[in-house]
Amino acid sequence: MRELADSEVLTLTGLLKMEKDGLAVAKSMQTLITDEKLKKQADTAVMAAKDRINGIQQFINENNVTNVEGAE
């Protein structure tokens, strides 16, 4: 795969942060939900967010997006 441009890496970083923040909000909202149908939807949304985060992390790892050379 080609090396990603700086703007693409920043976009990927922003997307990962957005998903992480959304997951944190969704998890905190779960405790407030009392309706069982809505609770199931919230659980599904949390699992979907986790899957998206894992997918982004897998893409980063498989494509060597991060450059750790020189980091000591």
Side-chain angles (χ1 to χ4, degrees), residues 30-44:
Q30 277 183 309
T31 60
L32 303 174
I33 299 172
T34 57
D35 182 70
E36 284 305 313
K37 288 182 181 178
L38 190 55
K39 195 171 206 60
K40 281 186 178 185
Q41 282 187 318
D43 292 342
T44 301

Side-chain angles (χ1 to χ4, degrees), residues 6-70:
D6 290 342
S7 61
E8 292 171 319
V9 173
L10 286 173
T11 300
L12 195 56
T13 303
L15 181 61
L16 188 56
K17 182 179 179 345
M18 181 185 69
E19 288 290 351
K20 179 189 69 82
D21 293 346
L23 177 60
V25 170
K27 280 184 170 181
S28 66
M29 293 300 291
Q30 277 183 309
T31 60
L32 303 174
I33 299 172
T34 57
D35 182 70
E36 284 305 313
K37 288 182 181 178
L38 190 55
K39 195 171 206 60
K40 281 186 178 185
Q41 282 187 318
D43 292 342
T44 301
V46 166
M47 289 189 315
K50 287 180 180 180
D51 288 342
R52 286 191 301 271
I53 290 170
N54 287 335
I56 295 168
Q57 289 174 331
Q58 182 177 355
F59 175 84
I60 289 170
N61 291 331
E62 288 178 357
N63 294 289
N64 299 321
V65 172
T66 57
N67 181 3
V68 293
E69 291 178 14

